[in-house]
Amino acid sequence: MIQHHLVLDSPSLFALSGNRQVSALIHRAYLDGDTRLWAPVLAILEADREHPGVAEHVGQLDVIHTIDLDYAAMLSVAQLCREGVPAGVAAAVSAVRNLPDWGVDALVATVEPKMYEHHGVGVLDLDR
């Protein structure tokens, strides 16, 4: 069984309110036990700041699993933020780099793939 681990960033979480590709990904995760969705809590917080209610909505979606920031992840996110990367994007980069090793690579699922061009992480473009 091959699992697909996808990390949702703040732009994708913000897009939950109407983007067809993001909605289809959520639907796929409900139907396909091999698709595992993750959301860094910092990305959820940033999306909720832009669109109040996102945090509650994400909490109601059983297929989205949250990722907390430990100290090492916080330092990684802080460094990326110092370089001008938005916090919700930095949290997704850190999460993809540090998800436990399940024998497959995790991808960032995003509606803004250009934000990841120089960060060395795989991306699933939800804006196509």
Side-chain angles (χ1 to χ4, degrees), residues 70-81 90 93-95 97-98:
D70 61 11
Y71 185 72
M74 185 270 307
L75 289 177
S76 171
V77 169
Q79 177 61 41
L80 288 167
C81 288
V93 169
S94 177
R97 289 178 178 167
N98 295 302

Side-chain angles (χ1 to χ4, degrees), residues 10 33 38 59:
S10 53
W38 301 90

